[in-house]
Protein backbone atom coordinates (compact mmCIF):
# COMPACT_ATOMS: atom_id res chain seq x y z
CA UNK A 1 0.00 0.00 0.00
CA UNK A 2 1.26 3.44 -0.89
CA UNK A 3 2.68 5.60 1.89
CA UNK A 4 1.29 8.74 0.23
CA UNK A 5 -0.85 10.72 2.70
CA UNK A 6 -4.54 9.97 2.18
CA UNK A 7 -7.29 12.37 3.14
CA UNK A 8 -10.07 10.23 4.63
CA UNK A 9 -13.27 12.09 5.44
CA UNK A 10 -14.45 11.18 8.96
CA UNK A 11 -17.87 10.15 7.63
CA UNK A 12 -16.22 7.49 5.45
CA UNK A 13 -14.28 5.87 8.31
CA UNK A 14 -15.58 2.51 9.59
CA UNK A 15 -15.20 3.74 13.19
CA UNK A 16 -15.16 7.21 14.79
CA UNK A 17 -11.84 8.93 14.10
CA UNK A 18 -10.25 10.90 16.91
CA UNK A 19 -8.49 14.18 16.23
CA UNK A 20 -5.22 12.28 16.64
CA UNK A 21 -6.33 9.75 13.98
CA UNK A 22 -7.15 12.56 11.56
CA UNK A 23 -3.74 14.11 12.14
CA UNK A 24 -1.95 10.77 11.68
CA UNK A 25 -3.67 10.28 8.34
CA UNK A 26 -1.97 13.44 7.11
CA UNK A 27 1.49 11.96 7.80
CA UNK A 28 3.80 9.52 6.05
CA UNK A 29 5.40 6.69 8.00
CA UNK A 30 8.70 8.56 7.82
CA UNK A 31 7.15 11.54 9.59
CA UNK A 32 5.56 9.42 12.29
CA UNK A 33 7.15 9.28 15.76
CA UNK A 34 6.85 5.88 17.42
CA UNK A 35 5.72 5.44 21.01
CA UNK A 36 8.74 4.22 23.01
CA UNK A 37 8.82 2.84 26.56
CA UNK A 38 9.27 6.20 28.28
CA UNK A 39 6.49 7.73 26.21
CA UNK A 40 4.12 4.86 27.06
CA UNK A 41 4.90 5.21 30.76
CA UNK A 42 4.10 8.92 30.60
CA UNK A 43 0.87 8.41 28.64
CA UNK A 44 -0.39 5.77 31.07
CA UNK A 45 0.75 7.63 34.17
CA UNK A 46 -1.13 10.73 33.05
CA UNK A 47 -4.09 8.66 31.79
CA UNK A 48 -3.77 10.60 28.52
CA UNK A 49 -4.87 7.66 26.40
CA UNK A 50 -6.36 9.76 23.62
CA UNK A 51 -2.84 10.49 22.27
CA UNK A 52 -2.13 6.83 21.49
CA UNK A 53 -1.87 6.33 17.76
CA UNK A 54 -1.04 3.85 15.05
CA UNK A 55 1.55 4.24 12.33
CA UNK A 56 -0.08 6.02 9.36
CA UNK A 57 0.09 3.06 6.98
CA UNK A 58 -1.17 0.74 9.74
CA UNK A 59 -4.08 3.06 10.50
CA UNK A 60 -5.08 3.14 6.83
CA UNK A 61 -4.87 -0.67 6.63
CA UNK A 62 -6.80 -0.97 9.89
CA UNK A 63 -9.57 1.24 8.50
CA UNK A 64 -9.72 -0.81 5.30
CA UNK A 65 -9.66 -4.12 7.19
CA UNK A 66 -12.34 -2.93 9.62
CA UNK A 67 -14.64 -1.92 6.75
CA UNK A 68 -14.14 -5.29 5.03
CA UNK A 69 -14.62 -7.22 8.29
CA UNK A 70 -17.83 -5.36 9.15
CA UNK A 71 -19.11 -6.02 5.63
CA UNK A 72 -18.43 -9.77 6.01
CA UNK A 73 -19.42 -10.32 9.65
CA UNK A 74 -21.80 -7.45 10.32
CA UNK A 75 -19.81 -6.13 13.28
CA UNK A 76 -16.40 -6.33 14.93
CA UNK A 77 -18.01 -8.05 17.90
CA UNK A 78 -19.28 -10.89 15.69
CA UNK A 79 -15.87 -11.26 14.03
CA UNK A 80 -14.08 -11.50 17.38
CA UNK A 81 -16.58 -14.01 18.75
CA UNK A 82 -16.34 -16.22 15.67
CA UNK A 83 -12.61 -15.97 14.97
CA UNK A 84 -10.63 -14.86 18.01
CA UNK A 85 -12.37 -15.50 21.33
CA UNK A 86 -12.99 -18.86 23.05
CA UNK A 87 -15.80 -20.91 21.53
CA UNK A 88 -16.91 -21.76 25.07
CA UNK A 89 -18.02 -18.16 25.59
CA UNK A 90 -20.83 -18.32 23.05
CA UNK A 91 -22.51 -14.98 22.31
CA UNK A 92 -23.21 -11.95 24.54
CA UNK A 93 -24.53 -11.58 27.13
CA UNK A 94 -21.87 -13.96 28.44
CA UNK A 95 -22.22 -16.13 31.52
CA UNK A 96 -18.91 -15.97 33.36
CA UNK A 97 -17.53 -18.58 35.74
CA UNK A 98 -16.64 -15.83 38.24
CA UNK A 99 -18.18 -12.42 38.92
CA UNK A 100 -14.64 -11.13 39.55
CA UNK A 101 -12.79 -10.16 36.34
CA UNK A 102 -9.65 -12.20 35.56
CA UNK A 103 -10.29 -14.55 38.50
CA UNK A 104 -11.05 -17.69 36.49
CA UNK A 105 -8.85 -18.56 33.45
CA UNK A 106 -11.92 -19.64 31.46
CA UNK A 107 -13.22 -16.05 31.70
CA UNK A 108 -10.31 -14.34 29.94
CA UNK A 109 -8.25 -14.80 26.80
CA UNK A 110 -4.77 -13.33 26.26
CA UNK A 111 -3.92 -12.45 22.64
CA UNK A 112 -1.32 -10.45 20.77
CA UNK A 113 -3.04 -7.34 19.40
CA UNK A 114 -3.58 -7.82 15.66
CA UNK A 115 -3.54 -4.04 15.17
CA UNK A 116 -1.13 -2.59 17.74
CA UNK A 117 -0.37 1.04 18.36
CA UNK A 118 2.73 2.40 16.63
CA UNK A 119 5.36 1.18 19.09
CA UNK A 120 9.13 0.82 18.91
CA UNK A 121 10.31 -2.75 18.03
CA UNK A 122 11.28 -3.61 21.63
CA UNK A 123 7.66 -3.35 22.75
CA UNK A 124 4.79 -5.82 22.30
CA UNK A 125 1.09 -5.02 22.54
CA UNK A 126 -1.18 -7.62 24.17
CA UNK A 127 -4.95 -7.53 24.66
CA UNK A 128 -6.68 -9.48 27.44
CA UNK A 129 -10.33 -10.10 26.63
CA UNK A 130 -12.77 -10.72 29.48
CA UNK A 131 -16.26 -12.19 29.47
CA UNK A 132 -16.72 -10.83 33.00
CA UNK A 133 -17.89 -7.24 33.16
CA UNK A 134 -15.28 -4.72 34.32
CA UNK A 135 -17.01 -2.01 36.33
CA UNK A 136 -16.55 1.56 35.13
CA UNK A 137 -17.66 4.94 36.39
CA UNK A 138 -20.82 5.86 34.41
CA UNK A 139 -19.90 9.56 34.43
CA UNK A 140 -16.27 9.34 33.33
CA UNK A 141 -16.20 5.99 31.51
CA UNK A 142 -12.99 5.19 33.41
CA UNK A 143 -12.38 2.30 35.80
CA UNK A 144 -13.63 2.38 39.36
CA UNK A 145 -10.98 2.12 42.12
CA UNK A 146 -12.15 -1.44 42.78
CA UNK A 147 -11.78 -2.44 39.13
CA UNK A 148 -8.34 -0.87 38.96
CA UNK A 149 -7.18 -2.91 41.98
CA UNK A 150 -8.54 -6.14 40.47
CA UNK A 151 -6.72 -5.51 37.19
CA UNK A 152 -3.48 -4.51 38.94
CA UNK A 153 -3.53 -7.77 40.91
CA UNK A 154 -4.14 -9.79 37.75
CA UNK A 155 -1.35 -8.08 35.79
CA UNK A 156 1.06 -8.67 38.65
CA UNK A 157 0.07 -12.34 38.96
CA UNK A 158 -0.12 -13.24 35.28
CA UNK A 159 2.60 -11.11 33.70
CA UNK A 160 4.98 -9.41 36.12
CA UNK A 161 5.67 -12.31 38.50
CA UNK A 162 6.25 -14.71 35.59
CA UNK A 163 9.07 -12.48 34.33
CA UNK A 164 10.96 -12.84 37.61
CA UNK A 165 13.21 -10.14 39.10
CA UNK A 166 12.80 -6.85 37.27
CA UNK A 167 9.48 -7.90 35.80
CA UNK A 168 7.78 -4.85 37.22
CA UNK A 169 9.96 -2.69 34.95
CA UNK A 170 8.84 -4.55 31.82
CA UNK A 171 5.04 -4.42 32.04
CA UNK A 172 2.53 -1.58 31.61
CA UNK A 173 -1.23 -1.82 31.37
CA UNK A 174 -4.22 0.38 30.65
CA UNK A 175 -7.92 0.19 29.91
CA UNK A 176 -9.29 2.62 27.39
CA UNK A 177 -12.06 4.90 28.53
CA UNK A 178 -15.40 3.79 27.13
CA UNK A 179 -15.35 6.66 24.59
CA UNK A 180 -12.00 5.46 23.17
CA UNK A 181 -12.86 1.77 22.76
CA UNK A 182 -13.05 0.56 19.16
CA UNK A 183 -14.81 -2.65 20.32
CA UNK A 184 -17.13 -1.50 23.08
CA UNK A 185 -19.29 -4.61 23.41
CA UNK A 186 -16.42 -6.81 24.59
CA UNK A 187 -14.45 -6.10 27.76
CA UNK A 188 -10.69 -5.88 27.36
CA UNK A 189 -7.52 -4.37 28.78
CA UNK A 190 -4.22 -3.54 27.06
CA UNK A 191 -0.79 -4.77 28.15
CA UNK A 192 2.48 -3.31 26.87
CA UNK A 193 5.64 -5.31 27.56
CA UNK A 194 9.28 -4.47 26.95
CA UNK A 195 12.05 -6.85 25.82
CA UNK A 196 10.02 -10.01 26.33
CA UNK A 197 11.09 -13.07 24.34
CA UNK A 198 8.75 -14.65 21.80
CA UNK A 199 8.55 -17.95 23.68
CA UNK A 200 7.22 -16.09 26.73
CA UNK A 201 4.67 -14.26 24.60
CA UNK A 202 3.65 -17.61 23.06
CA UNK A 203 3.21 -19.12 26.52
CA UNK A 204 1.05 -16.23 27.69
CA UNK A 205 -1.16 -16.33 24.59
CA UNK A 206 -1.64 -20.08 24.16
CA UNK A 207 -5.16 -21.46 24.05
CA UNK A 208 -6.14 -23.31 27.21
CA UNK A 209 -8.27 -26.44 27.47
CA UNK A 210 -10.93 -24.40 29.24
CA UNK A 211 -11.28 -22.27 26.10
CA UNK A 212 -12.10 -25.23 23.86
CA UNK A 213 -15.47 -26.86 23.28
CA UNK A 214 -15.55 -30.52 24.18
CA UNK A 215 -16.56 -32.66 21.21
Amino acid sequence: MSDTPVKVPPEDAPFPLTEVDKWVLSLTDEEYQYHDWEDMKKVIRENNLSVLKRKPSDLRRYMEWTAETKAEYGSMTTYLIKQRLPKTWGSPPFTSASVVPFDDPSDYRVLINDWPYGLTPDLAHIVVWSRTTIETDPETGDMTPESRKIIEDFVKRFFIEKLGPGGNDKVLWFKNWVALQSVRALEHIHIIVKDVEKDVLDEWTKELDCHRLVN
Side-chain angles (χ1 to χ4, degrees):
M1 184 175 293
S2 172
D3 191 35
T4 303
V6 176
K7 300 291 185 182
V8 180
E11 61 270 18
D12 291 344
F15 50 82
L17 294 177
T18 66
E19 291 305 312
V20 171
D21 288 333
K22 296 171 188 176
W23 172 70
V24 167
L25 289 170
S26 73
L27 304 177
T28 64
D29 283 358
E30 288 75 20
E31 294 169 327
Y32 176 81
Q33 185 172 352
Y34 290 86
H35 294 294
D36 61 17
W37 186 245
E38 291 304 315
D39 184 41
M40 288 303 302
K41 287 199 295 185
K42 182 175 185 291
V43 167
I44 294 171
R45 182 175 63 250
E46 296 176 353
N47 203 25
N48 190 22
L49 305 177
S50 62
V51 304
L52 292 174
K53 54 195 182 295
R54 292 179 173 87
K55 188 172 68 173
S57 59
D58 285 346
L59 177 57
R60 296 182 195 108
R61 282 193 290 267
Y62 181 50
M63 291 170 64
E64 181 180 348
W65 176 84
T66 299
E68 293 171 352
T69 301
K70 284 184 174 181
E72 180 175 354
Y73 290 91
S75 70
M76 294 304 300
T77 297
T78 301
Y79 164 77
L80 287 163
I81 290 170
K82 288 182 176 295
Q83 299 294 339
R84 300 294 281 148
L85 299 180
K87 302 301 183 186
T88 52
W89 289 12
S91 299
F94 300 125
T95 300
S96 57
S98 174
V99 296
V100 179
F102 311 111
D103 179 56
D104 190 300
S106 68
D107 286 336
Y108 60 86
R109 182 72 169 97
V110 182
L111 295 170
I112 296 294
N113 192 344
D114 293 329
W115 295 98
Y117 293 111
L119 310 173
T120 52
D122 56 328
L123 306 186
H125 187 173
I126 296 166
V127 179
V128 186
W129 299 92
S130 171
R131 68 171 170 177
T132 307
T133 301
I134 301 172
E135 188 178 2
T136 57
D137 185 313
E139 293 187 4
T140 65
D142 202 359
M143 293 168 287
T144 64
E146 294 78 12
S147 294
R148 184 175 294 275
K149 178 65 165 57
I150 288 170
I151 296 171
E152 285 175 347
D153 290 345
F154 166 70
V155 171
K156 179 180 179 182
R157 179 177 74 250
F158 191 94
F159 296 100
I160 294 174
E161 292 181 352
K162 291 180 181 178
L163 291 175
N168 196 53
D169 298 323
K170 292 185 174 183
V171 181
L172 298 170
W173 72 271
F174 64 92
K175 183 180 186 298
N176 272 330
W177 318 321
V178 173
L180 294 176
Q181 293 174 5
S182 57
V183 186
R184 297 186 184 183
L186 300 172
E187 296 279 17
H188 58 286
I189 62 172
H190 297 261
I191 311 291
I192 307 295
V193 296
K194 183 178 187 294
D195 295 328
V196 172
E197 297 295 331
K198 184 179 181 301
D199 60 338
V200 176
L201 296 174
D202 289 344
E203 178 66 21
W204 284 341
T205 57
K206 70 181 181 182
E207 185 180 38
L208 304 179
D209 289 341
C210 60
H211 296 147
R212 302 186 182 101
L213 288 172
V214 178
N215 295 326

Short mmCIF file of all heavy atoms in Angstrom, two decimals, residues 14 60-70 76 79-80 114-115:
data_model
loop_
_atom_site.label_atom_id
_atom_site.label_comp_id
_atom_site.label_asym_id
_atom_site.label_seq_id
_atom_site.Cartn_x
_atom_site.Cartn_y
_atom_site.Cartn_z
N PRO A 14 -14.73 3.58 9.06
CA PRO A 14 -15.58 2.51 9.59
C PRO A 14 -15.72 2.56 11.12
O PRO A 14 -16.39 1.73 11.70
CB PRO A 14 -14.84 1.24 9.16
CG PRO A 14 -13.41 1.66 9.09
CD PRO A 14 -13.42 3.09 8.62
N ARG A 60 -4.33 3.26 8.08
CA ARG A 60 -5.08 3.14 6.83
C ARG A 60 -5.48 1.69 6.58
O ARG A 60 -6.61 1.40 6.16
CB ARG A 60 -4.24 3.68 5.67
CG ARG A 60 -3.95 5.17 5.78
CD ARG A 60 -3.16 5.70 4.58
NE ARG A 60 -2.61 7.01 4.89
CZ ARG A 60 -1.33 7.26 5.12
NH1 ARG A 60 -0.44 6.28 5.02
NH2 ARG A 60 -0.93 8.48 5.41
N ARG A 61 -4.55 0.76 6.82
CA ARG A 61 -4.87 -0.67 6.63
C ARG A 61 -5.93 -1.12 7.63
O ARG A 61 -6.80 -1.93 7.29
CB ARG A 61 -3.60 -1.51 6.77
CG ARG A 61 -2.70 -1.47 5.53
CD ARG A 61 -1.63 -2.56 5.59
NE ARG A 61 -0.64 -2.28 6.61
CZ ARG A 61 0.51 -1.65 6.37
NH1 ARG A 61 0.77 -1.20 5.16
NH2 ARG A 61 1.37 -1.44 7.35
N TYR A 62 -5.83 -0.60 8.86
CA TYR A 62 -6.80 -0.97 9.89
C TYR A 62 -8.20 -0.48 9.50
O TYR A 62 -9.19 -1.19 9.68
CB TYR A 62 -6.38 -0.36 11.23
CG TYR A 62 -7.29 -0.70 12.39
CD1 TYR A 62 -7.67 -2.01 12.65
CD2 TYR A 62 -7.77 0.31 13.23
CE1 TYR A 62 -8.49 -2.32 13.71
CE2 TYR A 62 -8.59 0.01 14.30
CZ TYR A 62 -8.94 -1.31 14.54
OH TYR A 62 -9.77 -1.60 15.61
N MET A 63 -8.28 0.72 8.95
CA MET A 63 -9.57 1.24 8.50
C MET A 63 -10.14 0.38 7.37
O MET A 63 -11.33 0.03 7.36
CB MET A 63 -9.42 2.69 8.05
CG MET A 63 -9.11 3.66 9.19
SD MET A 63 -8.65 5.32 8.61
CE MET A 63 -10.17 5.82 7.80
N GLU A 64 -9.28 0.01 6.43
CA GLU A 64 -9.72 -0.81 5.30
C GLU A 64 -10.16 -2.19 5.79
O GLU A 64 -11.21 -2.71 5.40
CB GLU A 64 -8.58 -0.95 4.28
CG GLU A 64 -8.94 -1.77 3.06
CD GLU A 64 -7.79 -1.88 2.08
OE1 GLU A 64 -6.79 -1.13 2.23
OE2 GLU A 64 -7.87 -2.71 1.16
N TRP A 65 -9.34 -2.78 6.66
CA TRP A 65 -9.66 -4.12 7.19
C TRP A 65 -10.96 -4.09 8.00
O TRP A 65 -11.79 -4.99 7.89
CB TRP A 65 -8.50 -4.61 8.06
CG TRP A 65 -8.76 -5.93 8.72
CD1 TRP A 65 -8.59 -7.18 8.18
CD2 TRP A 65 -9.25 -6.14 10.05
NE1 TRP A 65 -8.95 -8.15 9.09
CE2 TRP A 65 -9.35 -7.53 10.24
CE3 TRP A 65 -9.61 -5.27 11.08
CZ2 TRP A 65 -9.81 -8.08 11.44
CZ3 TRP A 65 -10.06 -5.82 12.28
CH2 TRP A 65 -10.15 -7.20 12.45
N THR A 66 -11.13 -3.05 8.81
CA THR A 66 -12.34 -2.93 9.62
C THR A 66 -13.59 -2.84 8.74
O THR A 66 -14.61 -3.49 9.00
CB THR A 66 -12.27 -1.70 10.54
OG1 THR A 66 -11.15 -1.84 11.42
CG2 THR A 66 -13.53 -1.57 11.38
N ALA A 67 -13.50 -2.05 7.67
CA ALA A 67 -14.64 -1.92 6.75
C ALA A 67 -14.96 -3.26 6.11
O ALA A 67 -16.14 -3.66 6.01
CB ALA A 67 -14.33 -0.87 5.68
N GLU A 68 -13.93 -3.99 5.67
CA GLU A 68 -14.14 -5.29 5.03
C GLU A 68 -14.69 -6.31 6.03
O GLU A 68 -15.58 -7.11 5.69
CB GLU A 68 -12.82 -5.80 4.45
CG GLU A 68 -12.31 -4.97 3.27
CD GLU A 68 -10.91 -5.35 2.85
OE1 GLU A 68 -10.28 -6.16 3.59
OE2 GLU A 68 -10.44 -4.87 1.80
N THR A 69 -14.18 -6.27 7.26
CA THR A 69 -14.62 -7.22 8.29
C THR A 69 -16.07 -6.97 8.68
O THR A 69 -16.86 -7.90 8.85
CB THR A 69 -13.70 -7.12 9.53
OG1 THR A 69 -12.36 -7.41 9.12
CG2 THR A 69 -14.12 -8.10 10.61
N LYS A 70 -16.44 -5.69 8.83
CA LYS A 70 -17.83 -5.36 9.15
C LYS A 70 -18.75 -5.78 8.02
O LYS A 70 -19.88 -6.23 8.26
CB LYS A 70 -17.96 -3.87 9.43
CG LYS A 70 -17.42 -3.44 10.80
CD LYS A 70 -17.68 -1.97 11.05
CE LYS A 70 -17.27 -1.57 12.45
NZ LYS A 70 -17.53 -0.13 12.73
N MET A 76 -17.67 -5.86 14.38
CA MET A 76 -16.40 -6.33 14.93
C MET A 76 -16.63 -7.33 16.05
O MET A 76 -15.86 -8.27 16.23
CB MET A 76 -15.58 -5.13 15.45
CG MET A 76 -15.13 -4.18 14.37
SD MET A 76 -14.16 -5.01 13.07
CE MET A 76 -12.80 -5.64 14.04
N TYR A 79 -17.15 -10.73 14.52
CA TYR A 79 -15.87 -11.26 14.03
C TYR A 79 -15.04 -11.83 15.17
O TYR A 79 -14.53 -12.96 15.09
CB TYR A 79 -15.07 -10.17 13.32
CG TYR A 79 -13.62 -10.53 13.14
CD1 TYR A 79 -13.21 -11.43 12.16
CD2 TYR A 79 -12.64 -10.00 13.99
CE1 TYR A 79 -11.87 -11.79 12.02
CE2 TYR A 79 -11.31 -10.35 13.86
CZ TYR A 79 -10.93 -11.25 12.87
OH TYR A 79 -9.61 -11.61 12.75
N LEU A 80 -14.90 -11.06 16.25
CA LEU A 80 -14.08 -11.50 17.38
C LEU A 80 -14.65 -12.77 18.01
O LEU A 80 -13.90 -13.69 18.36
CB LEU A 80 -13.98 -10.39 18.42
CG LEU A 80 -13.09 -9.21 18.01
CD1 LEU A 80 -13.36 -8.00 18.88
CD2 LEU A 80 -11.61 -9.60 18.10
N ASP A 114 -3.76 -7.72 17.11
CA ASP A 114 -3.58 -7.82 15.66
C ASP A 114 -3.27 -6.46 15.04
O ASP A 114 -2.66 -6.38 13.98
CB ASP A 114 -4.86 -8.37 15.02
CG ASP A 114 -5.12 -9.83 15.40
OD1 ASP A 114 -4.15 -10.56 15.63
OD2 ASP A 114 -6.30 -10.21 15.48
N TRP A 115 -3.73 -5.39 15.69
CA TRP A 115 -3.54 -4.04 15.17
C TRP A 115 -2.98 -3.15 16.28
O TRP A 115 -3.70 -2.31 16.82
CB TRP A 115 -4.86 -3.48 14.62
CG TRP A 115 -5.35 -4.24 13.44
CD1 TRP A 115 -6.28 -5.23 13.43
CD2 TRP A 115 -4.90 -4.09 12.10
NE1 TRP A 115 -6.45 -5.70 12.15
CE2 TRP A 115 -5.62 -5.02 11.32
CE3 TRP A 115 -3.97 -3.25 11.47
CZ2 TRP A 115 -5.43 -5.13 9.94
CZ3 TRP A 115 -3.79 -3.37 10.11
CH2 TRP A 115 -4.51 -4.30 9.36
#
